[in-house]
Amino acid sequence: MRRSLPLSCWVRAAGLMLCLSQSAVAVFLSNSTRLDSILDKYKGKDGEWWRARSRGKRAISEEDKHLILDLHNKLRGQVYPPASNMEYMLWDYELERSAENWAHACRWEHGPSHMLTQIGQNLGTHWGRDRPPTYHVQAWYDEVRYYSYPYSQECNPHCPFRCSGPVCTHYTQLVWATSNRIGCAINTCYNMNVWGMIWTKAVYLVCNYSPPGNWWGHAPYKYGTPCSACPASYGGGCQNNLCYKDGGVERHPAPETEENNYIEPEPVRDREPQPRDRTPDLSPNENTEGNQVASTEQMSQQVECETKLRDQCKGTTCNRYECPPGCFERPGKVVGTSYYDMQSSVCGAGLHSGVINDDGGWLDVTRLGRKQLFTKSYKNGVQSIGKNRSANSFKVESVPVKAIRCDTTVAHFCPFKKPVRHCPRLYCPKNCLHDSRARVIGTKYYTDKSSICRAAIHAGVIRSESGGYLDVMPVDTRRQYSGSYQNGINSESLLNPTGGKAFRVFAVI
């Protein structure tokens, strides 16, 4: 039988984030006595299982390695409907090394791209409260609630992929019957970009699988009596509903050629089926060589939990701030409700207003001028105090995110006005470089009739082949805009424009 192409990029961005957020409410399946004993190893004196022990200099500690491997095999053995060919999983140190290399790259995406046809991959990350790696493994498995197993009568010849939730492919990779080797790594990444949010201290888990799962048109395993369809290489061995080779300690078993989760013969096809969610190839004439520039200048500012807006925003335009995790324990002084005294902590006001939580995050600040009275209140776990004297004030708001097109301009989307207002954080699509309809006028400062995304490519804030997030700041009219050639884009010059405003673009890193 001919195999279809492996699914090399099979988790959408939104799915990744949603998977992580759902894991916070994940529940363990019944009959989990052994799982409880696994998680007990993480409990401290106070019984909190999420306080993971410190790790050594290896990509992953021996303890974490066994926890991940044991939980994988437990979950693989309890799938429903039952699997007749589910193989016992072994640890592979080559996969561990490849996972370590990617974990140290600190990029919240699947990779490296040249390996994605050879391995399967699941990713997990968190910040703030410590959690063991099994937290993410269980979250991957809990996607089972959205997945509908395709029985053989539905596979004619290809099995449908039915997922009623945001993502199911973490689960299907975890329980892919023929993926019998795993290697994982854990790394702490500082200032990691997780889809536009900068996590100051992200714990990043990468697990690589071989042979890869998530093959187009196939079910993750065969339905039937456990171990009734094991490959011959297992010699009839079965343990906890898994095909098991006696003395199964081999770390680099040879791949079995017959193990394809075969369901029915496929007819001869003119071409191989294509994987879901395939990343588009770059334009063949895309050339960004020559006069390359890159900008890491950010509009937003990182602050500490107790930082007062008065100290951070004196004499300057207040814009966008990033608060670290853990500020509930040290929110600083908060004066007021709904609007706050300038002596208040930026992050404390964000917590009190409900704009951020204890995981930290981004918020926008707007100065409101003098207020005569500040009222006290207890909101969202933070007690604010009152004040009966006139003082300058501010308010906090969440940072919205909007996706735009290659030709979107500031003039139409977020023009400069007084008083100055905040623009949403923007997301540009891929491959805006060659959209010749969208003009770029200026360098560093651009006219508001310029394409936002192409200006961001020109400024080196994003790359055309990947797109990405950026912040934009509308500003007043400038008398002169200088053209230049940068990153494959020729921007135009303009002198003494009549009407119109300007803007700048900033990186989100």
Side-chain angles (χ1 to χ4, degrees):
M1 186 191 79
R2 298 169 66 191
R3 296 178 69 177
S4 58
L5 294 175
L7 196 56
S8 63
C9 188
W10 36 262
V11 180
R12 295 183 186 273
L16 279 168
M17 291 299 294
L18 194 52
C19 167
L20 295 176
S21 64
Q22 288 170 342
S23 62
V25 296
V27 294
F28 296 119
L29 303 183
S30 58
N31 192 24
S32 59
T33 304
R34 185 160 175 259
L35 176 58
D36 291 340
S37 67
I38 290 174
L39 296 181
D40 281 344
K41 298 178 183 179
Y42 280 100
K43 288 184 178 178
K45 294 180 180 179
D46 55 0
E48 292 181 326
W49 63 268
W50 54 76
R51 299 201 178 277
R53 298 178 181 178
S54 60
R55 302 184 175 93
K57 295 182 179 180
R58 275 193 56 202
I60 192 167
S61 70
E62 283 294 315
E63 181 183 19
D64 285 345
K65 180 189 80 172
H66 288 296
L67 287 170
I68 290 173
L69 184 60
D70 289 349
L71 184 53
H72 269 77
N73 280 320
K74 176 180 177 60
L75 297 173
R76 286 164 67 86
Q78 66 182 31
V79 294
Y80 185 84
S84 63
N85 68 328
M86 187 69 72
E87 299 182 36
Y88 185 86
M89 192 170 273
L90 299 171
W91 193 266
D92 188 295
Y93 291 101
E94 289 299 324
L95 291 174
E96 178 188 322
R97 277 191 284 272
S98 65
E100 178 182 14
N101 290 337
W102 190 245
H104 280 272
C106 292
R107 294 172 60 183
W108 182 236
E109 59 187 58
H110 289 284
S113 57
H114 69 274
M115 289 190 65
L116 292 177
T117 57
Q118 307 165 41
I119 61 169
Q121 188 175 76
N122 278 347
L123 307 176
T125 188
H126 67 270
W127 77 345
R129 174 181 292 178
D130 288 340
R131 294 181 173 95
T134 45
Y135 171 91
H136 295 296
V137 176
Q138 184 67 47
W140 298 336
Y141 184 86
D142 285 341
E143 292 171 8
V144 65
R145 73 187 74 173
Y146 305 119
Y147 182 70
S148 297
Y149 179 86
Y151 290 91
S152 58
Q153 61 268 26
E154 303 174 80
C155 304
N156 54 351
H158 302 298
C159 298
F161 181 81
R162 293 195 300 269
C163 180
S164 62
V167 65
C168 297
T169 43
H170 298 96
Y171 165 74
T172 51
Q173 174 58 79
L174 193 155
V175 301
W176 202 267
T178 58
S179 294
N180 55 26
R181 287 176 284 157
I182 184 176
C184 304
I186 300 171
N187 184 42
T188 300
C189 295
Y190 295 91
N191 295 323
M192 181 174 171
N193 188 336
V194 182
W195 299 111
M197 297 290 288
I198 305 301
W199 289 13
T200 54
K201 190 177 181 181
V203 179
Y204 191 19
L205 171 66
V206 178
C207 284
N208 288 344
Y209 302 83
S210 183
N214 287 333
W215 289 71
W216 187 92
H218 292 279
Y221 56 84
K222 298 179 187 177
Y223 162 61
T225 303
C227 300
S228 62
C230 292
S233 59
Y234 285 91
C238 184
Q239 177 175 291
N240 297 326
N241 298 329
L242 302 175
C243 303
Y244 182 77
K245 190 179 298 183
D246 189 30
V249 294
E250 185 180 2
R251 291 298 186 262
H252 302 283
E256 300 291 338
T257 57
E258 72 271 27
E259 299 168 26
N260 292 330
N261 288 352
Y262 176 80
I263 298 175
E264 291 184 12
E266 296 184 22
V268 177
R269 301 172 61 89
D270 294 331
R271 62 184 181 90
E272 296 287 355
Q274 296 299 307
R276 292 182 295 271
D277 295 347
R278 185 178 180 184
T279 303
D281 294 329
L282 298 180
S283 172
N285 62 343
E286 180 157 328
N287 176 19
T288 58
E289 296 296 326
N291 207 24
Q292 293 284 305
V293 298
S295 173
T296 58
E297 184 180 1
Q298 300 181 67
M299 184 180 78
S300 56
Q301 305 173 53
Q302 291 184 351
V303 293
E304 299 299 325
C305 293
E306 300 92 346
T307 301
K308 298 177 181 179
L309 187 65
R310 178 192 62 185
D311 300 330
Q312 191 71 21
C313 195
K314 185 181 297 184
T316 64
T317 301
C318 302
N319 287 303
R320 192 157 286 168
Y321 297 94
E322 181 193 5
C323 294
C327 288
F328 265 131
E329 297 178 359
R330 43 194 177 94
K333 182 170 71 171
V334 180
V335 182
T337 300
S338 299
Y339 56 86
Y340 302 92
D341 187 293
M342 291 286 287
Q343 297 186 47
S344 298
S345 153
V346 178
C347 300
L351 290 169
H352 183 265
S353 63
V355 170
I356 61 171
N357 57 28
D358 198 39
D359 286 336
W362 301 86
L363 52 82
D364 280 337
V365 167
T366 304
R367 297 170 76 166
L368 299 177
R370 299 190 74 83
K371 299 289 184 181
Q372 300 301 315
L373 176 67
F374 297 86
T375 58
K376 67 178 182 179
S377 65
Y378 180 80
K379 294 177 63 178
N380 300 308
V382 176
Q383 177 67 57
S384 71
I385 61 177
K387 183 176 178 179
N388 291 321
R389 294 196 308 273
S390 173
N392 287 320
S393 64
F394 69 95
K395 67 177 181 178
V396 292
E397 299 171 293
S398 59
V399 178
V401 178
K402 300 288 185 182
I404 59 175
R405 304 184 313 183
C406 293
D407 60 352
T408 301
T409 66
V410 169
H412 289 99
F413 188 80
C414 187
F416 174 81
K417 293 181 180 179
K418 291 185 178 180
V420 176
R421 62 191 179 119
H422 298 289
C423 291
R425 174 157 292 165
L426 305 179
Y427 182 82
C428 289
K430 300 178 182 179
N431 301 326
C432 289
L433 178 63
H434 298 291
D435 190 342
S436 57
R437 301 167 301 170
R439 300 172 66 189
V440 179
I441 306 170
T443 299
K444 188 174 181 179
Y445 289 88
Y446 301 91
T447 71
D448 62 358
K449 294 179 175 59
S450 298
S451 156
I452 298 173
C453 295
R454 298 192 77 228
I457 296 170
H458 181 265
V461 168
I462 62 172
R463 296 173 61 88
S464 176
E465 60 266 31
S466 58
Y469 292 90
L470 60 99
D471 284 330
V472 61
M473 179 188 292
V475 296
D476 211 344
T477 305
R478 298 183 67 83
R479 298 178 61 182
Q480 179 177 349
Y481 299 89
S482 300
S484 64
Y485 178 75
Q486 294 180 171
N487 299 324
I489 292 179
N490 266 314
S491 69
E492 305 173 38
S493 297
L494 184 62
L495 184 64
N496 295 323
T498 57
K501 304 296 182 179
F503 71 96
R504 291 191 62 192
V505 287
F506 295 89
V508 175
I509 57 177

